[in-house]
Amino acid sequence: MTERLIRLKDEILCAVPTLCLERARIYTRVYREGEGLPIVRRRARALQATLEEMSIYIGEGELIVGNHSSRPKAAPIFPEYAVAWILKEADGIDNRPAESYSATAAEKAELKELCAFWKGRTLQDRAESLLSPELKEIHDSGMIRAEGNMTSGDGHVAVDMPKVLALGLSGYAGLVAAADAQVDLCELEGLKRRQLYLGMAQVLEGTIAFIRRYAALASNMAVDCADPVRKAELETI
């Protein structure tokens, strides 16, 4: 392991785990504003807004950049999945015996306020509403618990990176536009597909914006960097 990697690893291991409310704020705002939109569009717009608005940073010595929260070792909140457990544990989240997160009183209060909006609107709420009486009784008994399956499932996405790199995100946007052009808006399935393709286009726009934000940040940091080696690294980024 290189000296650079040792230092970056130590920085992460020594960082105090905290909460990051940025994502929860953005998702809650977008879902409130888009009450009349199909769910696929609200999901897409929330992700797009997050990628366009969330804090970004490039740590000292980093070569591969990108963060999912506003600071190292900060946990983003996903209120659209489930909030019952968050509301139950928010006050003591900094004193849990395992996986505790430092949080101020103001952050805890805001977290509970954001989660209040999601009561009855989460993926878990939707899944539980579809349980038969027999399955609900089994689930409530504690013999079988399925929150993980309800809120996130067991699947993972294996991205076709060679295709992504060959086409580029603008190439993917072209594929989406071509598929959308074939939609028959006189059919219900066509109307649903139109909303899906519009959502895909929004997510691609957000991802492109996210990348360009990092490019601009790296460029600005390179201008002010006196170390020629690090300057070249930032220009490459």
Side-chain angles (χ1 to χ4, degrees):
M1 188 178 291
T2 66
E3 183 179 338
R4 183 202 302 261
L5 288 176
I6 291 172
R7 182 174 55 77
L8 290 172
K9 179 182 177 182
D10 287 344
E11 286 177 2
I12 289 294
L13 293 177
C14 293
V16 176
T18 59
L19 294 180
C20 176
L21 302 186
E22 282 189 349
R23 184 188 182 281
R25 288 190 200 111
I26 295 169
Y27 265 68
T28 304
R29 186 197 78 221
V30 171
Y31 269 69
R32 275 184 172 139
E33 293 172 350
E35 286 281 7
L37 287 174
I39 187 64
V40 68
R41 293 288 305 286
R42 276 183 281 173
R43 287 173 181 161
R45 177 59 191 132
L47 178 53
Q48 179 187 14
T50 300
L51 294 172
E52 292 175 347
E53 299 174 23
M54 66 173 284
S55 299
I56 63 171
Y57 59 86
I58 297 175
E60 183 180 351
E62 287 186 336
L63 296 178
I64 300 173
V65 302
N67 52 284
H68 67 175
S69 58
S70 57
R71 54 193 172 272
K73 217 169 183 178
I77 306 298
F78 293 70
E80 73 276 20
Y81 289 167
V83 294
W85 74 270
I86 300 176
L87 291 168
K88 180 180 179 181
E89 300 187 26
D91 287 326
I93 202 162
D94 48 357
N95 292 311
R96 296 197 303 181
E99 292 189 49
S100 62
Y101 297 90
S102 177
T104 66
E107 287 173 330
K108 292 176 183 179
E110 182 182 3
L111 178 59
K112 288 188 285 187
E113 181 181 350
L114 290 169
C115 288
F117 166 80
W118 292 95
K119 283 185 177 180
R121 292 183 168 93
T122 67
L123 192 56
Q124 182 175 359
D125 292 323
R126 172 64 174 160
E128 289 182 347
S129 73
L130 297 174
L131 292 177
S132 68
E134 181 181 19
L135 288 176
K136 188 177 187 309
E137 184 178 357
I138 293 172
H139 185 263
D140 291 345
S141 73
M143 290 186 292
I144 298 176
R145 303 298 297 177
E147 280 85 353
N149 304 79
M150 292 178 182
T151 58
S152 56
D154 292 329
H156 296 271
V157 177
V159 178
D160 186 350
M161 291 309 300
K163 184 176 181 180
V164 173
L165 294 172
L167 289 177
L169 295 180
S170 60
Y172 266 91
L175 293 178
V176 172
D180 185 51
Q182 301 300 314
V183 165
D184 183 356
L185 295 179
C186 294
E187 299 287 340
L188 177 59
E189 184 61 29
L191 293 172
K192 291 180 178 179
R193 283 185 174 275
R194 164 57 56 84
Q195 296 302 315
L196 174 63
Y197 294 142
L198 288 173
M200 287 179 173
Q202 285 181 297
V203 171
L204 285 167
E205 288 176 14
T207 306
I208 291 169
F210 194 57
I211 293 169
R212 286 177 173 162
R213 291 177 66 204
Y214 273 102
L217 176 59
S219 179
N220 291 336
M221 291 174 67
V223 170
D224 298 328
C225 185
D227 179 356
V229 175
R230 182 56 178 162
K231 184 182 184 75
E233 290 175 349
L234 291 165
E235 289 171 345
T236 299
I237 291 170

